[in-house]
Amino acid sequence: MFIIKRTITMTLGIFGRKVGMTHVFDESGTSIPVTIVKAPDCRISQIKSLEKDGYNSIQLAYDEASPKQVTKAVRGHLSKSGDKIFRSFGEVRVGKIEEYKLGDLITVDDFSVGQKIKVTGTSIGKGFSGNQKRHNFSRGPMTHGSKNHRLPGSIGAGSTPGRVYPGKKMAGQLGNTKNTISTSEVIYIDNNDKILVLRGSLPGKKNNLLKILPKKF
């Protein structure tokens, strides 16, 4: 049983990987669907400024690795921010860069229970799908001699304009797109195992990379 306490923090953001889903109960006994995310420490590896790079941004290094698993260029880049080696990098846009320092660690301790967050990830790819499944279209009649059950139907507008407009909703690849869930929040934090328990379902399958940012971003 987890009790949600709402607080406000100045968390930068963190990268983590989806472990799976389960459910927990709040103090009233209501079941809450949650997603478990493994979020090891991230390190600030570069600070980009408006004067030098054209925009203010913080580069975060994540996915700790051994020196043999990265190139010499990556090792040289990371040597400016600390002694740990990371294999992956991501950016978080910020308004002011003065409050951040090169080499600082971002951990799950920077979040708080009840904090509103938004999570970005790649959804599960489901291959080629028809109109009904891909766009939630209605099917045609199933009786009275109808042969139009799951057909797309007419896609044009006659001789005028005499073509199909770009962006027409038709059959095609479903999923495997970048999605952002902006209604999640932190339900529980495990500081020892670097675990975040977040409300609701999040994009992707097991081990999918997720970018977790506080709602203020």
Side-chain angles (χ1 to χ4, degrees):
M1 181 173 67
F2 306 109
I3 300 176
I4 299 176
K5 299 178 181 179
R6 304 196 177 278
T7 58
I8 299 176
T9 62
M10 295 300 291
T11 312
L12 177 63
I14 199 169
F15 289 86
R17 294 196 177 273
K18 185 174 178 178
V19 176
M21 286 196 68
T22 183
H23 68 105
V24 297
F25 297 93
D26 62 12
E27 55 184 351
S28 64
T30 303
S31 176
I32 303 174
V34 296
T35 301
I36 301 174
V37 179
K38 180 79 170 179
D41 298 346
C42 297
R43 186 184 293 277
I44 297 179
S45 55
Q46 185 179 356
I47 300 177
K48 296 186 177 183
S49 64
L50 181 64
E51 295 76 15
K52 185 177 180 180
D53 302 285
Y55 63 99
N56 291 336
S57 177
I58 302 298
Q59 184 189 81
L60 296 178
Y62 60 95
D63 277 349
E64 191 171 347
S66 67
K68 294 182 180 180
Q69 293 176 309
V70 298
T71 63
K72 186 176 181 180
V74 172
R75 294 197 298 269
H77 176 64
L78 291 171
S79 65
K80 304 173 185 178
S81 57
D83 56 351
K84 289 187 176 181
I85 300 297
F86 300 87
R87 74 176 82 209
S88 303
F89 301 89
E91 283 192 10
V92 177
R93 292 289 189 103
V94 295
K96 297 180 180 180
I97 60 175
E98 290 77 13
E99 56 190 62
Y100 305 104
K101 293 182 180 179
L102 192 66
D104 284 353
L105 285 178
I106 308 298
T107 70
V108 295
D109 296 332
D110 296 324
F111 291 86
S112 59
V113 174
Q115 183 178 8
K116 295 290 186 179
I117 58 172
K118 64 178 183 178
V119 183
T120 301
T122 303
S123 63
I124 298 175
K126 298 182 179 180
F128 190 93
S129 301
N131 269 349
Q132 277 76 20
K133 183 174 181 180
R134 192 183 188 204
H135 300 296
N136 198 29
F137 284 177
S138 299
R139 60 166 172 79
M142 301 299 289
T143 58
H144 300 288
S146 171
K147 302 293 178 63
N148 179 22
H149 304 314
R150 297 179 67 87
L151 296 176
S154 174
I155 62 171
S159 59
T160 303
R163 63 188 179 91
V164 178
Y165 288 117
K168 184 72 174 179
K169 291 183 178 180
M170 300 179 69
Q173 184 184 15
L174 175 62
N176 193 31
T177 57
K178 185 178 180 181
N179 292 337
T180 298
I181 304 298
S182 58
T183 56
S184 186
E185 67 176 296
V186 180
I187 300 297
Y188 178 74
I189 300 173
D190 189 332
N191 301 323
N192 296 326
D193 295 327
K194 307 298 182 182
I195 294 292
L196 287 174
V197 179
L198 309 178
R199 177 187 290 271
S201 61
L202 301 179
K205 58 181 68 175
K206 181 180 178 181
N207 205 38
N208 189 50
L209 179 66
L210 298 174
K211 183 179 182 181
I212 304 169
L213 300 176
K215 200 65 178 292
K216 70 185 184 69
F217 283 90

